Amino acid sequence: MANLDHNPAIAVDTHAHGHDHHDDHDHEEGTFLTKYIFSEDHKVIAKQFLISGIFWAIIGGTLSTIFRIQLGFPNTDMSFLKPILGGWIEGGKLNPEFYLAMVTMHGTIMVFFVLTAGLSGTFSNFLIPLQIGARDMASGFLNMLSYWFFFASSVIMLCSLFIETGPASGGWVIYPPLSALPQAAPGSGTGMTMWLFAMALFIVSSLLGSINYVSTVINMRTKGMTFTRLPLTIWAFFFTAIIGILSFPVLLSAALLLMFDRSMGTSFYLSEIYINGEALPNVGGSAILFQHLFWFLGHPEVYIVLLPALGITSEIIAVNSRKPIFGYKAMIGSIMAITLLSFIVWAHHMFVTGMNPFLGSIFMFLTLIIAIPSAVKAFNYITTLWRGNIVFTPGMLFSIGLVSFFISGGLTGVVLGNSAIDIQLHDTYFVVAHFHLVMGSASFFGMVAGVYHWFPKMFGRMLNEKLGYIHFWMTFIGVYCVFFPLHYTGIAGFPRRYYSFTSYDAFKTFGDLNAFVSTAAIVTFVAQFLFVFNFFYSIFRGRRAPMNPWRANTLEWTTPINPGHGNWVGEIPHVYRWPYDYSKPGAEEDFILQTTPFSATLSSNLEGEVDLVEETNASKAHA
């Protein structure tokens, strides 16, 4: 391994950052509160997002495990959960009203609080300054605010789980009129109000973070870090932030109009509603309007959680294949195409709303087109792996698992993109299986892969690899055991969000399969505690990490093992090359840091050629 502590490639940075030339120690002064709680250091904020995301993943996974017990074993006495769930358990059974609330909260938590905040909030914050050569984000104060808005949102959402009438119930998409009328159901009351306030704060957090990410990438790159030398992680985070800036305000407007309908007597989404035989005065609204507004965020949201995971996977696969990433510019182009297309396919979620068939055919065409840039990414991952000198670290295994889910789940997306088929499969478990594979599981695997890969840089210690391997195989097999059978039950007409299927003769035949899926879900959830233990134990007791454990090229591995606020002691290094110079012929090592000038490798190559010529001449003379 090259000596990274005294790399001759690290040169003086003349970039005009106002804070570039401050010594690292200037940032270290301060109290415990300013250094670790209300910190403006992007690395500390990233850890805050990560630990909050792990906390929410445990809650979201617990909720899914409980309602899977209900689905798989409907005759089981669940009284043992009463100390935890209280009034949610009645007569040893889960209250049907709270079943829908649990499904709603599980979806909300996993999509927004884990896969959006936990994934993008962690790795965009942590990697953007480190990989572009910046001391910190463009605005450390706004970055701090983004986390604390998220924290306030988390507190409100968590508190909604404990109110007497229960949390929001109406599915994570909160369609009106169920969400617009406080008297419609127990979960339409205070719990729904808290859901809306929590999401409003969450959106503010997301916008503050996204504006910071875009500003930092555009303005804070070190000398030599052109856009064509950016790692694919940064490209993914950059376009993810752009999607968030353009789409999250639409959800905020939808939520505000919903608040008006709930509290101020407006009729944006309500018209000709009867409750218990009584006609409400609301006239002129349309529930379909809410669906348009929601899905204009809802489909870009798929890529808000998926693109960062794909960017992380691009980096990890290249590093551990010991090969340059295949099709660097094609990968960037596919990210751009996905970003654009994600905004013009939202109505494929609405094929059953009675839309004009011609309009449906347009959205079907656009939906199928988005498979092309997705296929480009999958092809390039496979080609990078092909004949590579692969190192199977836990991070690499989770990255390969993401590619597997991305392909298998993406194929079912092509099926659902066909409007004629989607009308038959809409609101069945086929849809559940599809988005859990291509969005939920793939993004989760990207997040976990990123933790395994950058944990040494985050905490200066190594995670336990054996526990990592066990965690991967239990999770990978478990995910397929959970969601692969659901495609079959969905084709058979199995509807989603049903509390029980035992009362329907048509679905009784799926009892054993449901039990199998629930058992796999429980085992998969339990396996995540291996990761949780490994994570927190290794922070304090893990093996100390070397400076560049994976022999990677990007800038974050040129910082000290435990970088302070400011990242580099002294000057920021210059960049001379792209980030994927692996296994380059003639190089002394199979990796070349971005900070290594071309002249250094050129002279090395020339020396090698001279030695080869001399050896050849000597052999001829001897002969």
Side-chain angles (χ1 to χ4, degrees), residues 176-178 180-181 183-184 269-283 287:
L178 197 58
L181 298 170
Q183 68 271 38
Y269 307 130
L270 298 173
S271 182
E272 300 175 358
I273 303 293
Y274 289 79
I275 294 184
N276 296 327
E278 178 185 352
L280 299 184
N282 305 88
V283 177

Side-chain angles (χ1 to χ4, degrees), residues 42 78 129 140 171 210 234 256-257 296 404 422 514 571 605 612:
H42 69 100
M78 300 176 69
S210 296
I234 304 302
L256 289 175
L257 297 182
F296 191 82
S404 173
D422 180 78
N514 238 333
E571 307 298 342
N605 291 341
L612 182 60

Side-chain angles (χ1 to χ4, degrees), residues 513-537:
L513 189 58
N514 238 333
F516 171 79
V517 169
S518 293
T519 302
I522 294 168
V523 173
T524 306
F525 176 63
V526 171
Q528 306 318 303
F529 287 96
L530 287 174
F531 170 75
V532 173
F533 169 79
N534 195 3
F535 180 86
F536 288 103
Y537 178 84

Side-chain angles (χ1 to χ4, degrees), residues 4 64 78 246 266 311 329 341 363 385 454 485 557:
L4 304 179
S64 67
M78 300 176 69
L246 296 176
T266 58
K329 291 184 178 178
L341 290 168
F363 278 99
L385 290 167
W454 280 287
W557 304 109

Side-chain angles (χ1 to χ4, degrees), residues 104-352:
T104 301
M105 295 303 292
H106 165 73
T108 301
I109 288 168
M110 299 306 290
V111 170
F112 294 112
F113 289 78
V114 178
L115 296 178
T116 300
L119 176 57
S120 187
T122 297
F123 291 102
S124 294
N125 265 308
F126 188 76
L127 291 178
I128 286 177
L130 286 172
Q131 290 196 334
I132 70 171
R135 295 292 187 194
D136 206 317
M137 286 290 178
S139 173
F141 180 72
L142 287 184
N143 204 23
M144 178 192 72
L145 281 183
S146 73
Y147 174 75
W148 285 104
F149 270 105
F150 168 65
F151 184 81
S153 170
S154 298
V155 170
I156 294 173
M157 193 67 76
L158 183 64
C159 290
S160 74
L161 292 170
F162 299 98
I163 62 176
E164 185 177 357
T165 53
S169 63
W172 74 279
V173 294
I174 58 163
Y175 284 167
L178 197 58
S179 60
L181 298 170
Q183 68 271 38
S188 300
T190 307
M192 183 61 69
T193 301
M194 296 178 74
W195 191 100
L196 291 169
F197 275 109
M199 286 307 302
L201 292 173
F202 179 89
I203 292 167
V204 172
S205 165
S206 176
L207 290 175
L208 289 174
S210 296
I211 292 169
N212 229 348
Y213 306 151
V214 171
S215 301
T216 304
V217 172
I218 292 176
N219 297 308
M220 307 289 286
R221 288 170 287 119
T222 189
K223 185 175 181 181
M225 181 62 80
T226 61
F227 275 98
T228 53
R229 290 175 178 172
L230 289 174
L232 289 172
T233 45
I234 304 302
W235 279 107
F237 299 151
F238 180 69
F239 280 101
T240 299
I242 292 174
I243 295 174
I245 291 170
L246 296 176
S247 62
F248 265 117
V250 179
L251 180 61
L252 181 60
S253 67
L256 289 175
L257 297 182
L258 193 54
M259 291 179 187
F260 292 159
D261 276 8
R262 289 173 58 83
S263 307
M264 300 183 184
T266 58
S267 300
F268 292 105
Y269 307 130
L270 298 173
S271 182
E272 300 175 358
I273 303 293
Y274 289 79
I275 294 184
N276 296 327
E278 178 185 352
L280 299 184
N282 305 88
V283 177
S286 171
I288 303 300
L289 170 62
F290 179 86
Q291 293 192 34
H292 279 293
L293 294 174
F294 180 88
W295 287 115
F296 191 82
L297 167 278
H299 197 80
E301 172 66 18
V302 172
Y303 297 102
I304 288 174
V305 304
L306 193 53
L307 281 181
L310 293 173
I312 289 168
T313 296
S314 301
E315 177 70 16
I316 295 175
I317 284 180
V319 170
N320 290 287
S321 295
R322 313 311 297 168
K323 283 178 61 180
I325 193 77
F326 184 88
Y328 173 80
K329 291 184 178 178
M331 294 286 261
I332 297 171
S334 69
I335 293 173
M336 293 179 178
I338 287 172
T339 299
L340 174 64
L341 290 168
S342 70
F343 284 100
I344 53 177
V345 297
W346 79 89
H348 69 219
H349 296 274
M350 301 171 58
F351 285 145
V352 297

